[in-house]
Amino acid sequence: MKTTEESKDAASEPILKIGHVANILGVPTARIRAWESESLITPYRTESGQRRYSVHDVKQLEKIQKLLDSKSTTFLGVRTTLAIACAEHNDDLPSHDMRGFVGQRVKMLRQRQRMSLRDLSTAVKISPSALSAFERGLSRPSTGRISRIAHVLGTTVPELLGMGRPKDQIIVRVDNRELLPLNDEGVRIELLYRTTTVLQSQCITIEPGCGLLEPITHTGEDFVTVVEGEVDVILDSIDVFHLDQGDSMTFPSTRAHGFQNRGSRTTRLVWVNTPPTF
């Protein structure tokens, strides 16, 4: 008799071809590919590029199909629903959740660029075993580490997280922001843009005592203004700049930067960098 862990491993094995999955769902294979292009699912790819799906992936696709067939939500709504579900079940995350989803995307991009596991791990300054665990969905890296991986792979954090390509939408309503499914406790990053732009703008909410402590470095310039509360912006792990409500700051993105809310109430920032390299 299989143990619980063995059963989970079996359900995570990518063994089903896209045609088999299409038959299970009763949809054309083109529809599954369309869901993939909208970053709703990221199947495992063999060395020859063929898609393979696990039992967990099929369950995820069934959820996607049900949400879209209800005609009550958009692709954005589906991505948000899936991200919230992952956060609420953080103690038992299968291979199709955000950990496995992003890990598979990293592996796919790495292989497309013909980079070995060791090549990428050296470039982002983590051990090959830590990178392997991430690609297999066994760990959730910090935002700083995700940013370094995205930079080396020539993409951005939102794209690496599967947020989909920006639409030609010049207005983003407050209830229509995309949430980045990151792993820093007490930090919430929402995108303020839904169109192709050189200004990568985010609304960052930071709970007291929380922050982004692993530094981020990329090309371009950063601008931040405090909408509510207070924040310490840390540059090069040495220089600390305290900003109160209404204060603003501009600095080169090449300076390693992070932030922390050492106050007693929630802080909200508008953070912009250009070009979009975060």
Side-chain angles (χ1 to χ4, degrees):
M1 180 178 294
K2 289 186 177 180
T3 66
T4 302
E5 289 301 319
E6 288 172 336
S7 296
K8 288 182 180 179
D9 289 343
S12 300
E13 281 296 315
I15 58 175
L16 300 172
K17 295 182 178 181
I18 190 170
H20 297 153
V21 175
N23 288 334
I24 293 171
L25 299 177
V27 299
T29 57
R31 192 176 184 192
I32 297 175
R33 293 191 183 97
W35 295 341
E36 181 183 342
S37 70
E38 289 292 336
S39 301
L40 301 182
I41 190 77
T42 301
Y44 173 80
R45 293 274 189 159
T46 65
E47 292 296 334
S48 61
Q50 294 185 356
R51 298 171 175 83
R52 291 291 186 270
Y53 300 82
S54 67
V55 173
H56 281 318
D57 291 330
V58 174
K59 290 180 179 178
Q60 182 85 327
L61 287 165
E62 288 174 340
K63 292 179 186 177
I64 293 167
Q65 182 183 22
K66 184 176 181 180
L67 287 167
L68 292 174
D69 285 351
S70 69
K71 301 187 184 302
S72 62
T73 188
T74 62
F75 287 126
L76 169 60
V78 173
R79 283 196 294 271
T80 302
T81 299
L82 296 177
I84 292 173
C86 289
E88 290 177 344
H89 297 88
N90 197 31
D91 57 332
D92 187 21
L93 294 170
S95 65
H96 65 263
D97 67 17
M98 290 312 300
R99 289 189 306 184
F101 175 83
V102 179
Q104 289 171 13
R105 286 180 66 81
V106 169
K107 183 175 182 179
M108 177 185 68
L109 291 171
R110 174 175 65 77
Q111 291 177 337
R112 281 182 181 176
Q113 297 183 33
R114 300 187 181 280
M115 294 181 69
S116 69
L117 190 73
R118 186 169 296 279
D119 289 338
L120 182 56
S121 65
T122 299
V124 299
K125 299 179 181 179
I126 62 175
S127 68
S129 59
L131 179 59
S132 176
F134 174 36
E135 289 189 346
R136 290 181 289 130
L138 302 179
S139 65
R140 299 184 68 187
S142 66
T143 300
R145 190 163 292 183
I146 287 284
S147 176
R148 293 204 304 271
I149 292 172
H151 183 71
V152 172
L153 292 176
T155 186
T156 65
V157 171
E159 290 171 349
L160 188 64
L161 294 174
M163 303 307 290
R165 297 175 182 175
K167 305 295 190 297
D168 188 16
Q169 182 179 330
I170 62 174
I171 295 177
V172 178
R173 305 295 181 188
V174 66
D175 58 351
N176 196 34
R177 296 174 182 171
E178 285 196 287
L179 172 66
L180 292 182
L182 295 166
N183 192 39
D184 296 276
E185 183 178 357
V187 178
R188 179 184 178 92
I189 302 180
E190 299 171 292
L191 302 184
L192 299 179
Y193 63 97
R194 291 289 293 157
T195 189
T196 301
T197 175
V198 296
L199 299 175
Q200 191 179 30
S201 53
Q202 301 104 17
C203 175
I204 303 179
T205 303
I206 318 165
E207 297 302 326
C210 299
L212 198 162
L213 301 180
E214 185 170 352
I216 291 176
T217 306
H218 49 95
T219 58
E221 290 183 321
D222 277 46
F223 167 83
V224 58
T225 187
V226 183
V227 177
E228 181 181 344
E230 59 185 282
V231 68
D232 285 345
V233 178
I234 308 158
L235 300 184
D236 301 323
S237 301
I238 299 175
D239 298 327
V240 180
F241 300 88
H242 183 80
L243 304 181
D244 288 312
Q245 183 171 322
D247 291 343
S248 302
M249 182 177 180
T250 304
F251 58 90
S253 308
T254 50
R255 296 190 68 179
H257 50 280
F259 53 79
Q260 186 175 17
N261 177 8
R262 293 175 178 164
S264 59
R265 61 193 181 103
T266 300
T267 292
R268 288 186 176 82
L269 314 173
V270 170
W271 198 298
V272 182
N273 62 273
T274 183
T277 52
F278 167 71

